[in-house]
Amino acid sequence: MFTIRGPGADDVAAKLCPVDVERLPEGEIRRTRVAQVAAALWRSGEGEISLVAFRSVAGYVERLLEVAAEGPRL
């Protein structure tokens, strides 16, 4: 499980997932993909998104999140 926090949390998730993150209400879970792997995400608090993926791809997802967070904001 990963938690994306801060003012750019929506931007990071939007770069990787084909979900309208800005319209995602708090507590509603969405099945989706992160790049090419299965995942689920939900708004777990103000400025916070939680994301789960299979353990076998955790390193890949972690690196994707790092790269998305380093890049320019949308």
Side-chain angles (χ1 to χ4, degrees):
M1 184 169 135
F2 300 93
T3 303
I4 309 163
R5 288 189 186 102
D10 284 7
D11 292 335
V12 170
K15 288 178 184 180
L16 300 172
C17 303
V19 172
D20 190 355
V21 179
E22 290 183 13
R23 293 180 174 228
L24 188 65
E26 189 169 334
E28 183 175 316
I29 193 166
R30 291 283 170 91
R31 287 179 46 190
T32 186
R33 57 181 162 61
V34 175
Q36 298 299 316
V37 299
L41 58 82
W42 63 95
R43 186 172 306 284
S44 49
E46 184 70 30
E48 181 176 284
I49 302 219
S50 292
L51 184 143
V52 293
F54 290 110
R55 183 176 16 179
S56 61
V57 294
Y60 173 69
V61 172
E62 181 177 31
R63 186 64 185 135
L64 287 171
L65 291 168
E66 289 170 351
V67 170
E70 292 170 358
R73 294 185 72 177
L74 297 176

